Amino acid sequence: MKTRSSLLRRLAIAVSAIGFGQSAFVSLVPLVMERLRLDTFAVGAATAVGAAAFLVGSPLWGRMGERLGHARLLRLLGLAMLAGQAVFAMLLTAGTKAALGIALLMLSRFVYGFAASGVMPTAQVWASRSVADDRRQAALGLLGAGVSMGRLAGALPAAAAVLSPLLPPILFLFSPLLLWLAPGREQSGGQSDAKAVDAGRGISPFDRRALPCLAIGLCLTLGFGQVQMMLGPMVQQRFALGAAQATTMTGLALMLVAIVMVLVQGLVVARLRLAERNSVVVGCVLVCAGMTILAVTASHIVSAAALVVAAAGIALATPGYTAWLMKRLEPAEQGAAAGWLTSTHVLGQSIGALAGGFAFTLWPFAPLAGCAALALAAACLAAMLRKH
């Protein structure tokens, strides 16, 4: 048991590299635009290339973990991510002409995104194999907490720019090395690489065993993606703030969300020990309630409390439907399914960002209403879904 706890803690620290990379890149956008003389469209295009690489790479890497070994694959992915970050760090340090800069930035984001897309599927399957069925949610929740911790730490590169312009690219460059903190060999107690004759079997995302869990994940990420993208404009409109004040408040709100998710996934999920279905239903209802309250309240304190409730719901539901997905499939199919789930999350966040901007133009609080409706739909789907 102690060995398994050590494995999970080290995996959580390792996957924090993903959260760090996501948050740090967003915080460094102003520096990227200044150094490379790019506009917001060019940076958005480079971000889209990275997201596309995630969509393609996740299902492929999910199967490779079964064949190469989870420990070995995480280290190889870390090296590939390091190569992508090296190009990015070179751009931030040296600068270049706009045309070459956007080409290299896109290359960097594609290499990084393609490699990073395999980290969570690999770690999720490894963690799932390391524990008994009734502890799977807690194990996956701990990985989620690690990613959220990485997002919190992702603000460091931007803050370090005040001390030295070289510090942001250095921190960003070496963040993938966190993956080398994962255990150096398989300790899961499941099938070993030598016995994995049938390992890495593919699965369709439309398989009736996987599709409901993927649909729940899509609903939640699509809904929350709308709110994350439009939270700043909504805050500015609701509380009549200036741009600088709204930016500060939005940053504080996103930090609060990350902290709540760390606490819920790292501590609460392990102690509640709810069944997968119950975790998903309760989590989705909390998201629906939080978004509804956030849409109708005009109080700073109540708004913060509503955001906490919604964040807790996301943190509770995510390991629930992830563990449920693993439980519904054969061991050889779990890697590919975890990859499809990662792709689904990226797809939901990307569509949510686009839909949120359009919905905001129709009604300032339409993203909140949309998120509440999608969470309610996910709760109903989970409640109707057969247990096995």
Side-chain angles (χ1 to χ4, degrees), residues 374-387:
L374 286 166
L376 184 60
C380 293
L381 176 59
M384 293 187 298
L385 192 60
R386 290 191 302 173
K387 187 174 183 181

Side-chain angles (χ1 to χ4, degrees), residues 36-57:
L36 303 183
R37 298 185 291 278
L38 302 176
D39 56 18
T40 54
F41 178 78
V43 175
T47 304
V49 168
F54 248 91
L55 290 173
V56 174

Side-chain angles (χ1 to χ4, degrees), residues 83-121:
Q85 299 294 61
V87 176
F88 182 78
M90 178 192 70
L91 288 173
L92 283 186
T93 304
T96 184
K97 295 181 179 180
L100 180 60
I102 185 60
L104 290 176
L105 182 61
M106 285 186 171
L107 175 64
S108 166
R109 298 314 298 167
F110 181 84
V111 172
Y112 179 86
F114 188 72
S117 68
V119 172
M120 284 307 291

Side-chain angles (χ1 to χ4, degrees), residues 64-76:
M64 292 301 295
E66 305 286 354
R67 299 174 181 180
L68 296 178
H70 303 111
R72 186 183 311 157
L73 181 57
L74 282 181
R75 280 160 174 73
L76 292 175

Side-chain angles (χ1 to χ4, degrees), residues 193-376:
D193 294 329
K195 297 180 181 179
V197 178
D198 194 34
R201 192 162 69 239
I203 183 174
S204 167
F206 301 104
D207 188 292
R208 62 186 180 86
R209 297 166 298 165
L211 183 59
C213 294
L214 297 180
I216 291 170
L218 181 64
C219 285
L220 289 178
T221 51
L222 197 159
F224 213 65
Q226 294 182 60
V227 176
Q228 283 182 310
M229 179 57 64
M230 289 293 108
L231 186 59
M234 285 189 291
V235 165
Q236 188 173 10
Q237 193 272 349
R238 168 55 60 88
F239 300 111
L241 301 175
Q245 292 174 310
T247 300
T248 300
M249 185 170 288
T250 302
L252 292 174
L254 293 176
M255 285 183 61
L256 178 64
V257 168
I259 291 171
V260 170
M261 293 185 73
V262 169
L263 294 176
V264 172
Q265 292 184 324
L267 300 176
V268 177
V269 171
R271 286 163 173 76
L272 285 179
R273 303 191 72 169
L274 294 174
E276 291 88 353
R277 181 204 302 269
N278 295 338
S279 293
V280 175
V281 172
V282 172
C284 291
V285 170
L286 288 176
V287 174
C288 183
M291 292 294 107
T292 303
I293 296 171
L294 199 58
V296 301
T297 186
S299 165
H300 290 74
I301 296 176
V302 176
S303 295
L307 201 59
V308 166
V309 169
I314 291 287
L316 185 62
T318 302
Y321 64 73
T322 306
W324 204 358
L325 176 64
M326 299 294 181
K327 193 174 185 179
R328 291 169 64 87
L329 299 172
E330 298 295 329
E333 300 169 324
Q334 291 173 352
W340 283 120
L341 183 60
T342 298
S343 294
T344 300
H345 286 166
V346 174
L347 184 64
Q349 290 163 358
S350 302
I351 297 175
L354 293 174
F358 175 73
F360 185 81
T361 62
L362 301 177
W363 179 47
F365 296 99
L368 297 175
C371 183
L374 286 166
L376 184 60

